[in-house]
Amino acid sequence: MRDPQHPVRGREAVLQRLEADLARSGGERISVLCGMGGCGKTALAVEVAASRLRGGWRVWWVDGQRGTSLEAGMRAVARQAGASEEELRNADTTDVVWAYLERLRDRWLLVVDNADDAALLDGPGRLSAGTGWVRPLALGRGNGAVLVTSRDSTAAVWGPASRLYPVHPLTGDHLDDAAHILQDHAHSSAGTHGEARELARRLGGLPLTLRLAGTYLASVHQTPGAFRPCGTPSTYVDYQRVWENEVERLDSDRLLARTLALTVELLEERGQTHARSLLELITAFGDAELPYSLLLTPERLAPAPGGLSTLNGSAVWEHLAGLAAFGLVDLRGPSVGDLPVLQLHPLVRDACRNPALLSTAVAVLHSAARAAETGTPQEPEFWMHWRLLTPHLLDVFHRAVSEQLPGQIRLAAATSAGLAAQYLRTRGLHGQARSEFEAVLAVFRDQLGDGHQDTLTTRHELARVLREQGELPEARQEFEAILALRRAHLGDGHDDTLTTRHELGRVLREQGELPQARQEFEAILAQRRTQLGNTHDQTLTTRHELARILHDQGDLQAAGTEFEAVLAERREQLGEVHPSTLASRHNLARVLHSRGDLVRARSEFEAILDLERELRGDSYPGTLDTRHDLARVMQDQGELEAARAEFEVVLALRRERLGATHPHTLDTQHQLARMPGPEGGPETEPDVG
């Protein structure tokens, strides 16, 4: 990351102050380099990291731009600091990280870069209170230091234990340094230092714009004069004259946009005639990693204006590579799963975003969300696709609604956002899913009316989230209303009607109305066997739910036989690690537990838990269900301390993920309260909520 040919300029004072403070206070304060995007905060952090490496320190560099990369990075830090996987699974990761960092004898530096959303650093605690992902070290404890870069310079956000180091554009007394940055990147024949200084002044001294302008001029000089388009600026003076011819008066709010415009014009002159259109379309998506192999293919670009629809695959790639060569987009980032991603600097996004292209972004995303290669949000093999698409689908949906785009465009955006909400629900992010389904439902009701099938489907999905959040009366009321409408419009035998009856039956079971729930599932099963056969996926789902009721009613033999049959079919059809297969395997293990076959039940739960952790992570609700049931088996085997420790971890995670009043949270709390204490009786009276 550090290029000796392009040294940091004009930052000697802040570097000296930062180094002195780090040497004096160690890790007792969090050091924060803050300022607008493009000021060079990351470059300063690289200098500090390089000096520490030369001094024999251990240095960790963590991406703080998104919650997923932040957590993954901090978990890696914990492992390298000595934490075991078991500790990371069974305790709060933030506490584990800092427990090990404080014990390290080696000198160390932790850099968290691009932490623009400081709320992500809260983790399960609070950054400003010293309980977040980054923390100050207590006096006399630890041999390290923490350095963060962020656009957020709000002191209250960082807390009293942080010291802010503002990083500003290189203006005023630092114009000579800004000129040197231009000269570092441009060709030596671009002009004198004085001319570079004047151009740097016009560019506002922002290191990012200086780098872009210098790179532009260097690229021009790499092209022989005979092949340059007439009028192409090749010197600092020419560059400034072209700039000033566009506007009579310098508009400081458009500095970066005008720097970018010159770069894009050069690309267009070199034959990449749709570079501007492609860049503007890229900025129309959300502020997140862009899976360009899903969104920028010729098939997806068919509805795009500006000639993009005429580009074939090699031409699209040539344009992307051209944009990347000038630093307008970044294609160098690691692939996510099997998908390459594109990253865009926020200032480039802000400067180049064309509001007129929002409708095109909606159309491209709508096409991608329905494409066969994208898959469905329920299928694990496509979760990586949906993880990358979801932030873009939701961003353009909310902008389409707030900007009151035409009804058909809002409907397309809402349909795609509904699929993103299904992905959130599938991954157990019920709060986010509920919020998005509610927003999608509002659009469908406004545009299509209450009785339209898309409206009813969204109500159905929202009711499923209500059930999963433990709001059973509300979920039941919704399912009953949807069922009445679907029966009236579609009839009793329609698949949508049966699906709603199925979900209503699940609510009845969870409310303890077992006879009525069993009656519903038996009626649904009869129709699905007739319509679909005994081994169709939907039939198997109903058989699975009916077997759960048999278990609840104490018919262990019948429940076990049915679960075994369903599990065999699901293994053959879906594979060993599909969520539906794991669900049947889990419920069969619960039957084994009820029969008293503790050894087999424990073995099954442990195997299921390993698969669920790999597939969905430690805090997914289904993973917590397995950990809860495994702890019950351990308790029945007499391993009380191990069971208690597991219940405590599950309870903490369920409170955080589901809320304190969710039925599953209360169930774990109840189990923990009833565990025998040192005297052999319950430690406390159970809190039944």
Side-chain angles (χ1 to χ4, degrees):
M1 295 175 66
R2 184 172 183 268
D3 185 355
Q5 294 184 356
H6 299 123
V8 173
R9 304 277 191 180
R11 304 302 189 190
E12 293 80 4
V14 67
L15 272 175
Q16 288 175 3
R17 187 160 62 91
L18 178 57
E19 291 280 11
D21 288 346
L22 287 174
R24 182 170 53 252
S25 62
E28 296 167 27
R29 288 182 178 272
I30 300 170
S31 301
V32 183
L33 291 165
C34 54
M36 68 177 292
C39 275
K41 302 180 294 294
T42 296
L44 283 170
V46 167
E47 289 300 307
V48 175
S51 70
R52 290 298 182 272
L53 285 171
R54 288 193 297 270
W57 289 39
R58 298 181 69 174
V59 176
W60 289 289
W61 190 282
V62 174
D63 177 13
Q65 193 168 6
R66 274 170 288 278
T68 51
S69 59
L70 174 64
E71 181 171 359
M74 294 302 288
R75 290 175 71 89
V77 170
R79 285 192 291 269
Q80 293 184 25
S84 67
E85 286 294 337
E86 182 178 1
E87 290 173 302
L88 289 172
R89 284 197 302 267
N90 295 333
D92 186 331
T93 304
T94 55
D95 290 336
V96 173
V97 170
W98 287 98
Y100 275 89
L101 287 178
E102 288 181 348
R103 292 200 294 264
L104 273 184
R105 294 185 177 181
D106 297 337
R107 303 300 303 274
W108 55 265
L109 173 70
L110 170 63
V111 180
V112 179
D113 190 33
N114 289 323
D116 298 330
D117 183 1
L120 294 178
L121 296 179
D122 285 336
R126 201 165 90 247
L127 168 65
S128 60
T131 58
W133 279 113
V134 295
R135 305 176 180 181
L137 291 171
L139 184 62
R141 297 179 64 183
N143 293 303
V146 179
L147 178 61
V148 181
T149 72
S150 176
R151 295 167 78 174
D152 193 345
S153 58
T154 308
V157 168
W158 298 98
S162 298
R163 179 173 283 127
L164 305 186
Y165 299 84
V167 182
H168 302 292
L170 296 169
T171 56
D173 294 339
H174 293 288
L175 269 179
D176 281 330
D177 296 307
H180 282 303
I181 293 176
L182 268 174
Q183 292 176 297
D184 289 338
H185 288 85
H187 193 273
S188 58
S189 61
T192 67
H193 177 76
E195 292 166 346
R197 191 178 191 278
E198 180 59 21
L199 177 57
R201 185 182 68 81
R202 289 292 190 179
L203 296 177
L206 191 68
L208 175 61
T209 65
L210 299 172
R211 178 175 65 82
L212 290 173
T215 302
Y216 172 93
L217 293 172
S219 179
V220 168
H221 279 276
Q222 291 171 2
T223 304
F227 297 97
R228 295 179 199 161
C230 182
T232 299
S234 60
T235 67
Y236 302 126
V237 173
D238 290 341
Y239 195 101
Q240 184 172 330
R241 184 179 65 251
V242 171
W243 191 302
E244 291 177 342
N245 284 341
E246 295 178 351
V247 287
E248 295 179 2
R249 182 172 58 87
L250 183 64
D251 179 1
S252 60
D253 292 333
R254 296 288 294 167
L255 288 179
L256 180 60
R258 302 194 182 284
T259 301
L260 296 174
L262 288 174
T263 303
V264 171
E265 285 174 9
L266 181 60
L267 286 171
E268 291 173 337
E269 290 167 356
R270 291 182 171 183
Q272 294 164 24
T273 54
H274 304 296
R276 186 187 312 276
S277 298
L278 183 58
L279 182 60
E280 289 182 347
L281 177 58
I282 291 170
T283 65
F285 296 110
D287 185 8
E289 295 171 323
L290 191 76
Y292 56 85
S293 62
L294 287 179
L295 295 177
L296 300 181
T297 63
E299 293 79 11
R300 302 287 85 79
L301 293 176
L308 290 178
S309 60
T310 65
L311 298 179
N312 59 25
S314 60
V316 173
W317 177 249
E318 181 182 341
H319 279 69
L320 284 173
L323 292 171
F326 283 89
L328 299 179
V329 301
D330 187 357
L331 302 177
R332 297 172 300 167
S335 298
V336 178
D338 60 344
L339 292 176
V341 295
L342 172 155
Q343 294 176 313
L344 194 65
H345 192 284
L347 283 183
V348 176
R349 183 183 309 282
D350 294 342
C352 298
R353 176 166 278 179
N354 181 353
L357 288 177
L358 177 56
S359 58
T360 303
V362 170
V364 170
L365 285 163
H366 187 61
S367 172
R370 296 179 300 163
E373 61 267 26
T374 302
T376 67
Q378 293 83 13
E379 296 299 314
E381 61 262 39
F382 296 112
W383 281 350
M384 191 58 66
H385 296 186
W386 285 95
R387 193 198 102 184
L388 292 168
L389 285 175
T390 289
H392 300 286
L393 293 169
L394 298 178
D395 178 84
V396 301
F397 164 62
H398 288 293
R399 283 193 283 135
V401 172
S402 65
E403 296 178 21
Q404 286 292 298
L405 293 189
Q408 287 302 313
I409 296 175
R410 277 182 282 155
L411 282 174
T415 301
S416 302
L419 293 172
Q422 288 184 33
Y423 168 75
L424 294 173
R425 187 190 67 77
T426 300
R427 298 313 307 270
L429 301 171
H430 298 139
Q432 296 177 46
R434 178 175 180 170
S435 176
E436 299 303 338
F437 277 131
E438 288 171 344
V440 170
L441 181 59
V443 172
F444 283 149
R445 277 181 160 150
D446 177 63
Q447 295 293 313
L448 303 174
D450 279 337
H452 194 278
Q453 291 308 308
D454 289 346
T455 306
L456 292 178
T457 297
T458 305
R459 284 183 69 183
H460 177 95
E461 292 296 324
L462 179 56
R464 292 182 71 184
V465 175
L466 292 174
R467 182 190 66 78
E468 288 161 344
Q469 288 186 308
E471 300 184 21
L472 301 181
E474 294 83 355
R476 178 172 179 169
Q477 183 178 355
E478 270 297 280
F479 281 131
E480 287 173 343
I482 297 164
L483 181 58
L485 289 169
R486 283 184 160 170
R487 275 177 163 151
H489 290 93
L490 304 174
D492 273 337
H494 193 278
D495 181 61
D496 288 348
T497 307
L498 293 175
T499 299
T500 301
R501 286 185 71 183
H502 179 99
E503 291 299 324
L504 178 58
R506 296 182 73 183
V507 174
L508 293 172
R509 174 188 170 270
E510 291 179 23
Q511 288 185 314
E513 300 184 23
L514 300 183
Q516 186 177 350
R518 179 170 180 171
Q519 183 179 355
E520 278 294 297
F521 282 122
E522 286 174 341
I524 297 165
L525 181 59
Q527 289 194 288
R528 283 188 162 166
R529 276 175 166 153
T530 300
Q531 295 174 4
L532 304 172
N534 198 42
T535 59
H536 188 276
D537 178 61
Q538 293 184 32
T539 309
L540 293 175
T541 300
T542 303
R543 291 173 62 186
H544 174 97
E545 292 300 323
L546 186 55
R548 295 179 73 189
I549 294 176
L550 293 172
H551 183 193
D552 293 340
Q553 291 180 323
D555 193 346
L556 302 183
Q557 183 64 41
T561 300
E562 189 65 356
F563 278 131
E564 288 171 348
V566 172
L567 177 58
E569 289 291 341
R570 283 180 161 173
R571 276 175 162 152
E572 181 178 346
Q573 295 179 23
L574 305 174
E576 190 67 46
V577 299
H578 192 278
S580 295
T581 307
L582 293 177
S584 293
R585 193 174 175 186
H586 180 113
N587 280 283
L588 180 57
R590 292 183 70 241
V591 172
L592 293 173
H593 183 195
S594 297
R595 289 175 178 172
D597 193 345
L598 302 183
V599 174
R600 284 182 61 199
R602 178 167 182 168
S603 175
E604 279 296 284
F605 281 131
E606 289 174 339
I608 295 164
L609 182 58
D610 288 341
L611 293 172
E612 286 181 330
R613 277 175 164 155
E614 182 178 352
L615 183 66
R616 288 172 158 173
D618 274 337
S619 62
Y620 178 75
T623 308
L624 297 180
D625 292 344
T626 303
R627 295 183 69 176
H628 175 95
D629 287 340
L630 176 58
R632 292 180 62 229
V633 175
M634 294 162 66
Q635 180 181 0
D636 289 348
Q637 287 181 316
E639 299 181 20
L640 301 185
E641 289 306 314
R644 180 181 291 106
E646 189 70 2
F647 279 133
E648 288 172 347
V649 173
V650 172
L651 179 59
L653 290 172
R654 278 182 163 173
R655 280 174 171 162
E656 178 184 339
R657 189 70 179 260
L658 305 175
T661 60
H662 192 284
H664 290 182
T665 307
L666 295 175
D667 186 21
T668 303
Q669 183 173 309
H670 182 78
Q671 286 289 142
L672 187 58
R674 291 181 60 85
M675 287 197 67
E679 306 302 323
E683 292 184 331
T684 61
E685 285 299 315
D687 181 355
V688 296

